[in-house]
Amino acid sequence: MRTRLKDVAELAGVSVKTVSNVVNNYVHVTPELRARVTAALDELGYRPNLSARNLRLGRSGMIALALPSVRGAYFSELAHLIVREAEQHELTVLIDCTYGDLEREKNVVESFRTHLIDGIILVPWQLGTADLRAREDTTPLVLLGERMAQSADSVAIDSRAAGQAATEHLLDIGRRRIGVIRNLPRNTGGVVSRNRLNGYKRALAAAGLEFEPELIAEVDFSHGKDARLATDRLLALPEPIDALFCFNDELAMAAMRRLHEQGYRVPDDIAVIGVDGIATGTAVTPTLSTIDPDKQAIAETAVRMLVERIEGSAETGPRRVKAGFTLVPRESTMGQQHTRRRRRTAKHVSGH
Amino acid sequence: MRTRLKDVAELAGVSVKTVSNVVNNYVHVTPELRARVTAALDELGYRPNLSARNLRLGRSGMIALALPSVRGAYFSELAHLIVREAEQHELTVLIDCTYGDLEREKNVVESFRTHLIDGIILVPWQLGTADLRAREDTTPLVLLGERMAQSADSVAIDSRAAGQAATEHLLDIGRRRIGVIRNLPRNTGGVVSRNRLNGYKRALAAAGLEFEPELIAEVDFSHGKDARLATDRLLALPEPIDALFCFNDELAMAAMRRLHEQGYRVPDDIAVIGVDGIATGTAVTPTLSTIDPDKQAIAETAVRMLVERIEGSAETGPRRVKAGFTLVPRESTMGQQHTRRRRRTAKHVSGH
DNA sequence: CTGTTAGCGCGTTCAG
DNA sequence: CTGAACGCGCTAACAG
């Protein structure tokens, strides 16, 4: 059944240490011995016991990735990149879904698989600054999102700049009455959503337009039903809107769908832009204009920062890194002729 | 820094065993002692070392989920359900991406985090029956997909029935010249793709139609470019097609997009149906008709079978479970009026 | 270059 | 009901 280092040692007639050396590719082993050990190794079908190794070494080579859900397109793309990036550092990723639940988020930062994971990457949803400051667990932690940058390492795009860029794009193509569908801030934080809205306001102000609260609709989740209701509410306004800025792409796609059902043309009647740069945005008709965060950079940075913490090679205080994003104009704002003329115009905003 | 059971014991003035008892909620502990231990426990901020516990217990409470990628909508939805299901059994899921690479798949079933994971759920892409039969590792394994059902537990929908149902639906609405975009079988296996095609042929035969190889287009990946080329090839046929059966939803969405670009209307000119039942299928215009595998049942069954193997409570031989699927007709085959008349018609095919 | 030995932290016998 | 001692499998000192 399960064979231990010792069994192999006995069969090969050497000491445990020697077998260990061979397994771990140590240099100073006689070729002859190495051969004998190797033979014994796969005669017995030896598999190292990583629990024992971890116990001994004090690290496991695993990191946790905790996010609200791996179902949505944005998070699944991000998770993919993080898994890929972790691999470069010989780390395995352990996925945990928090469902945006506060208790689960607390559990992640306090006592999730203790001493079994070397570090944590968390996308917080409800967790507040206070929770983080009161944190007792010392497992290295990196946050994805702009929240609570004081209390731990974090990486995120500049949400206000993103909100501003999206709004400016709509203004650039001549829209003046821009509705917003924002996902509701779930806690006192809600910084991301609020910052995007601030960017929106800022762009309006710069264009000499007044901010009108009635143009802002809120939804709880990114799901179809809520987005539909929000869209309907904006469509019911006495003075009609001519553009829609949705705080994520799935919201935007649901809204576009609803606009179509209600007989509006996108972008002719109403231009639509989202945030996230999800892949399906290029597969729908019209293709979806979006603010595309540099997910690759986010993944790279998050893993790198975590590794630095794990190795203890990082400075002491919490670090806050800004990732870049790209405005990707597509048909939902530029119209069909856009696709034929220029294949892809993109404005870059690089990370800090 | 890190406090061990022993430290707590000393502070509380009791033995290690007693602390362990408290930590593990054993019954027979004096309330007074329990209180003292509990106090010491959180004064020192004790966190159990799971590596040590795992070593001692011989199991880890973790299972691996290995799939080609967590990026695509289908796999990410499936992963989500599996994580959720594993949670019910107090298991944590460790995600590994194989990228459909043979070496990586082999590594998963042979020596992936040995003795650290209690079981493996694998979506094989290239791995063959031979590899599986030659497998030396004894970690419990459940396969997702119809391949190699002889050599390990597996759960999947009946691909031939699915292919047949999709084709029959297109025939039902009066289409007679049905193009197919299939994802290329990557190895000698490719059972899923081949079975779906067999279902297609069978439906044609039942309708008295002849199978025409020129109607079958193959793509390597589900990605936009390939799907576009495949669509173009089918559109270039001398005798035009009136329907398109894509072997997955992302392919179908890319194809619909291409049809639109080329000036075809869906479903008026060409009806389109996919497979997978991904969420965005309801957000695009027209909404996508699809064969929707019972992902919940797949996740449930896979985890349950794995748990049975881990606990040793399963019969000896490999088990092969069929999951159900549902035909979900939407606008891409039924047209717009469909949406208004009946909200959702679905034909069920239950699992075996 | 190789063998011996002592823990890593925990659960679990066995005594008491 | 509680305390002491052992061993899970492995790596790293320390001899030799």
Side-chain angles (χ1 to χ4, degrees):
Chain A
M1 216 195 75
R2 63 189 184 202
T3 70
R4 303 155 301 161
L5 227 41
K6 195 181 162 194
D7 303 320
V8 179
E10 282 171 7
L11 179 61
V14 296
S15 87
V16 185
K17 168 67 174 160
T18 306
V19 181
S20 174
N21 282 346
V22 172
V23 169
N24 295 354
N25 280 319
Y26 266 45
V27 226
H28 302 299
V29 184
T30 313
E32 186 233 349
L33 273 195
R34 179 182 295 279
R36 234 165 64 206
V37 170
T38 310
L41 232 32
D42 53 45
E43 174 173 343
L44 295 178
Y46 172 76
R47 305 263 182 286
N49 184 321
L50 295 186
S51 289
R53 183 180 286 171
N54 295 346
L55 175 58
R56 184 59 234 231
L57 293 178
R59 44 182 187 72
S60 66
M62 303 192 296
I63 61 175
L65 173 61
L67 23 74
S69 156
V70 75
R71 182 174 240 149
Y74 179 69
F75 286 138
S76 77
E77 288 180 23
L78 194 60
H80 177 84
L81 292 174
I82 287 176
V83 167
R84 207 182 169 102
E85 193 61 29
E87 224 155 65
Q88 306 289 318
H89 297 263
E90 295 183 325
L91 291 170
T92 302
V93 175
L94 205 146
I95 297 220
D96 183 66
C97 295
T98 60
Y99 311 112
D101 178 61
L102 181 56
E103 283 315 307
R104 297 186 67 101
E105 290 188 352
K106 275 187 187 162
N107 181 59
V108 166
V109 298
E110 282 303 350
S111 49
F112 181 69
R113 300 274 146 177
T114 45
H115 299 250
L116 216 175
I117 51 171
D118 297 340
I120 304 168
I121 297 178
L122 168 68
V123 180
W125 204 243
Q126 297 215 55
L127 204 71
T129 318
D131 303 307
L132 233 32
R133 251 198 280 274
R135 175 166 130 99
E136 294 186 346
D137 193 299
T138 55
T139 311
L141 173 67
V142 171
L143 262 27
L144 261 38
E146 301 165 272
R147 208 167 307 187
M148 303 154 296
Q150 320 297 17
S151 8
D153 285 346
S154 71
V155 49
I157 64 169
D158 182 337
S159 289
R160 203 189 52 172
Q164 188 170 346
T167 310
E168 280 170 356
H169 174 59
L170 295 173
L171 293 169
D172 281 349
I173 58 171
R175 308 302 164 123
R176 284 298 172 268
R177 201 166 158 76
I178 304 172
V180 167
I181 300 183
R182 71 187 294 204
N183 42 352
L184 200 64
R186 290 282 290 281
N187 66 339
T188 47
V191 177
V192 172
S193 185
R194 197 162 54 221
N195 282 347
R196 285 188 188 160
L197 194 60
N198 284 338
Y200 164 83
K201 290 179 186 172
R202 198 184 171 87
L204 288 190
L209 294 175
E210 207 158 323
F211 170 69
E212 299 180 39
E214 63 177 10
L215 286 176
I216 313 302
E218 292 177 343
V219 298
D220 243 331
F221 296 104
S222 310
H223 288 320
K225 192 160 228 167
D226 296 344
R228 198 176 307 155
L229 292 176
T231 308
D232 286 347
R233 193 177 85 49
L234 292 177
L235 290 179
L237 289 176
E239 196 178 336
I241 61 173
D242 56 13
L244 199 47
F245 171 25
C246 299
F247 278 16
N248 67 56
D249 282 351
E250 300 195 353
L251 235 36
M253 283 174 54
M256 286 209 299
R257 169 70 197 166
R258 188 52 173 178
L259 291 177
H260 171 80
E261 284 174 7
Q262 301 284 41
Y264 293 84
R265 289 165 307 160
V266 175
D268 307 37
D269 301 323
I270 299 178
V272 176
I273 190 169
V275 181
D276 279 354
I278 69 176
T280 39
T282 64
V284 295
T285 299
T287 52
L288 179 63
S289 298
T290 189
I291 298 288
D292 182 20
D294 189 345
K295 304 183 202 65
Q296 177 61 38
I298 293 173
E300 258 174 32
T301 309
V303 173
R304 184 178 47 71
M305 286 204 296
L306 192 59
V307 167
E308 285 170 2
R309 284 277 176 232
I310 292 171
E311 291 172 349
S313 63
E315 57 199 282
T316 333
R319 297 166 295 171
R320 169 185 214 146
V321 176
K322 282 221 183 307
F325 62 82
T326 308
L327 166 66
V328 184
R330 298 206 190 98
E331 292 169 1
S332 70
T333 55
M334 306 301 281
Q336 304 270 348
Q337 90 289 351
H338 163 66
T339 314
R340 280 162 204 145
R341 281 218 207 112
R342 30 184 185 168
R343 214 51 199 172
R344 180 190 173 118
T345 318
K347 286 187 197 170
H348 256 289
V349 178
S350 62
H352 179 57
Chain B
M1 212 197 79
R2 63 188 183 203
T3 69
R4 304 156 300 161
L5 228 41
K6 194 182 164 193
D7 302 320
V8 180
E10 281 170 8
L11 179 62
V14 297
S15 89
V16 184
K17 167 69 174 160
T18 306
V19 181
S20 173
N21 283 346
V22 172
V23 169
N24 295 357
N25 279 321
Y26 266 46
V27 227
H28 301 299
V29 185
T30 314
E32 187 234 348
L33 274 193
R34 179 182 296 278
R36 234 165 63 207
V37 170
T38 309
L41 231 33
D42 54 46
E43 175 174 343
L44 294 178
Y46 172 75
R47 304 262 182 289
N49 183 320
L50 295 186
S51 288
R53 185 179 284 173
N54 295 345
L55 174 57
R56 182 60 229 213
L57 261 39
R59 44 182 188 70
S60 66
M62 302 192 298
I63 61 174
L65 173 61
L67 24 74
S69 156
V70 75
R71 181 174 241 149
Y74 179 70
F75 286 139
S76 78
E77 289 180 23
L78 195 59
H80 176 82
L81 292 174
I82 287 176
V83 167
R84 206 181 172 104
E85 193 60 30
E87 224 155 65
Q88 306 290 317
H89 296 264
E90 296 182 323
L91 292 170
T92 302
V93 176
L94 205 146
I95 297 219
D96 183 66
C97 294
T98 60
Y99 311 112
D101 178 60
L102 181 56
E103 283 316 307
R104 297 186 68 101
E105 291 189 350
K106 274 187 186 163
N107 181 59
V108 166
V109 298
E110 282 303 350
S111 48
F112 180 69
R113 299 274 147 176
T114 46
H115 297 252
L116 216 175
I117 50 171
D118 296 340
I120 304 168
I121 297 178
L122 168 68
V123 181
W125 203 244
Q126 296 215 55
L127 204 71
T129 317
D131 303 307
L132 234 32
R133 251 198 279 274
R135 175 167 131 97
E136 295 186 346
D137 192 299
T138 55
T139 311
L141 172 68
V142 170
L143 262 26
L144 261 39
E146 301 167 90
R147 208 166 306 186
M148 303 154 296
Q150 320 297 16
S151 7
D153 285 346
S154 70
V155 49
I157 64 169
D158 182 336
S159 289
R160 202 189 52 173
Q164 188 169 347
T167 310
E168 280 169 355
H169 175 59
L170 295 172
L171 292 169
D172 281 350
I173 59 171
R175 308 302 163 123
R176 283 298 172 268
R177 201 165 157 77
I178 304 170
V180 167
I181 300 184
R182 70 187 295 203
N183 42 353
L184 201 63
R186 291 282 291 280
N187 66 340
T188 47
V191 178
V192 171
S193 184
R194 198 163 53 220
N195 282 348
R196 285 188 190 161
L197 194 61
N198 284 338
Y200 165 81
K201 290 179 186 172
R202 199 185 170 88
L204 288 189
L209 293 175
E210 207 158 323
F211 169 69
E212 297 180 40
E214 63 178 11
L215 287 176
I216 314 301
E218 292 177 344
V219 299
D220 242 332
F221 296 106
S222 310
H223 288 319
K225 192 160 228 167
D226 296 344
R228 197 176 307 155
L229 292 175
T231 309
D232 286 348
R233 192 177 84 48
L234 292 177
L235 290 179
L237 289 176
E239 196 178 337
I241 60 174
D242 58 13
L244 200 47
F245 171 25
C246 299
F247 277 18
N248 67 57
D249 282 352
E250 300 196 352
L251 234 36
M253 283 175 55
M256 286 209 298
R257 170 69 197 165
R258 187 52 173 177
L259 292 177
H260 172 80
E261 284 174 6
Q262 302 285 41
Y264 293 84
R265 289 165 308 161
V266 176
D268 308 38
D269 301 323
I270 298 178
V272 176
I273 189 169
V275 181
D276 279 354
I278 68 176
T280 40
T282 63
V284 294
T285 299
T287 53
L288 179 62
S289 299
T290 188
I291 297 288
D292 182 19
D294 189 345
K295 304 183 203 63
Q296 177 60 37
I298 293 174
E300 258 173 33
T301 309
V303 173
R304 184 178 46 72
M305 287 204 294
L306 193 58
V307 167
E308 286 169 2
R309 285 276 176 233
I310 292 170
E311 291 172 348
S313 64
E315 56 199 283
T316 333
R319 297 167 295 171
R320 168 185 213 145
V321 175
K322 284 223 183 304
F325 63 84
T326 308
L327 166 66
V328 184
R330 298 205 190 99
E331 292 169 2
S332 70
T333 56
M334 306 300 282
Q336 305 268 350
Q337 89 292 351
H338 163 66
T339 313
R340 279 163 202 146
R341 281 218 208 114
R342 29 183 186 170
R343 214 50 198 172
R344 180 191 174 116
T345 317
K347 285 187 197 168
H348 256 290
V349 177
S350 62
H352 179 57

